[in-house]
Amino acid sequence: MQHAGPVARRLFDLTEPIALVNFFSPEPNDAMAALGFRNYWDGYFAGRAAPLGRVPATVVHAAFYSFADGEAARHIPKVCETTTPEAAHAAREQGCVAALRRILGDLVETPGLTRAAELLAKASTSAPTEGRVMYAALRALPMPEEPVARLWHASNMLREHRGDGHIAALVSERIGGIEAHVLSALASGIYPAESFGRIHHLPKSHLAKVMDGLRDRGLLDADGRLTDAGRATKERIEALTDTLAAAPYDGLEPPELDQLSTLLEPISSRLQATGSR
């Protein structure tokens, strides 16, 4: 079977809707709230950082990369006063599995989902961990046996593996976390970039400094839009991200890759149709 584009990009498009239930579905938020978290971002930092264990905010800030200075510190280590990292990860998984079961419905009990979960588990445990902080942290956790939980955990591992590589690509281009949001927003057609949901809450003075810095480097024009150099930089980052995300899929034989893509299609399509909600 022939496919257009890099394997890692194709599999990212198919697995990302699985991982996104954590951010868009109510069940994960409800599971975190049951632990005592009263706002989304406490639950986010507690759940996503849980595999790292009890680490300082500076470590979480470095590993997540895309948050402004001080944002991680508003939640870490405070969230550890509410629950343990182990309980936070378990709640996150429980909520995501519940969301997937609800959305996928009749697909849950099919042999295709079970096989897709097996192949994703094989891929997600096949890559080197060197230089992959979030991926390595998740690799240290046991792989679930139950198929839906395995599907989510493997997809989450692959997402964090790709994220680790994306950070390396950003660093190689000297693009900081907030700058990355600006480039991503503009490349997606969001204008002005300062209105993007991930950064619109930041102080206007801080955003102005970020935008001025990108203009000084020739990546944005006077109106705050991407220049040719800015678009080229964004394209290099995405291309390198795809290249660095390929390692897990080297663990699958070509027929297994084709089978995985085929099996993930109905799963991904069902999730995309609901916005992973």
Side-chain angles (χ1 to χ4, degrees), residues 88-253:
H89 177 77
R92 190 184 198 213
E93 179 181 297
Q94 174 191 338
C96 289
V97 169
L100 287 171
R101 285 186 165 276
R102 171 179 55 81
I103 298 169
L104 295 177
D106 59 309
L107 294 176
V108 166
E109 304 301 333
T110 61
L113 184 143
T114 299
R115 177 60 175 159
E118 290 174 356
L119 291 171
L120 280 179
K122 181 178 179 181
S124 68
T125 55
S126 294
T129 57
E130 289 82 359
R132 309 274 183 166
V133 174
M134 292 301 300
Y135 172 67
L138 285 166
R139 274 282 297 272
L141 302 178
M143 177 66 68
E145 293 292 334
E146 194 278 320
V148 180
R150 175 171 286 200
L151 183 81
W152 173 76
H153 184 70
S155 296
N156 191 44
M157 286 175 64
L158 291 166
R159 187 175 200 268
E160 293 289 16
H161 177 276
R162 183 182 180 88
D164 287 335
H166 187 57
I167 290 171
L170 290 169
V171 171
S172 74
E173 293 283 348
R174 298 183 297 117
I175 297 295
I178 305 306
E179 293 174 326
H181 286 310
V182 171
L183 297 186
S184 180
L186 293 172
S188 300
I190 299 172
Y191 182 84
E194 297 95 325
S195 67
F196 182 43
R198 283 295 304 274
I199 60 175
H200 78 278
H201 63 286
L202 297 177
K204 285 182 171 40
S205 59
H206 180 65
L207 288 176
K209 184 177 180 180
V210 169
M211 298 294 284
D212 287 343
L214 291 171
R215 287 190 186 94
D216 290 344
R217 294 174 57 186
L219 303 182
L220 300 184
D221 63 20
D223 294 328
R225 298 183 185 274
L226 288 173
T227 61
D228 289 343
R231 281 186 287 273
T233 297
K234 177 64 173 170
E235 289 169 4
R236 287 194 302 272
I237 290 168
E238 294 305 319
L240 182 54
T241 297
D242 284 335
T243 298
L244 295 175
Y249 305 108
D250 292 339
L252 299 180
E253 298 296 327

Side-chain angles (χ1 to χ4, degrees), residues 47-117:
R48 188 180 172 206
L52 297 171
R54 294 178 182 269
V55 295
T58 51
V59 174
V60 175
H61 176 74
F64 286 11
Y65 194 74
S66 60
F67 287 88
D69 290 344
E71 289 193 299
R74 284 201 288 271
H75 309 279
I76 303 293
K78 180 185 72 173
V79 295
C80 291
E81 299 171 2
T82 299
T83 192
T84 64
E86 293 80 9
H89 177 77
R92 190 184 198 213
E93 179 181 297
Q94 174 191 338
C96 289
V97 169
L100 287 171
R101 285 186 165 276
R102 171 179 55 81
I103 298 169
L104 295 177
D106 59 309
L107 294 176
V108 166
E109 304 301 333
T110 61
L113 184 143
T114 299
R115 177 60 175 159

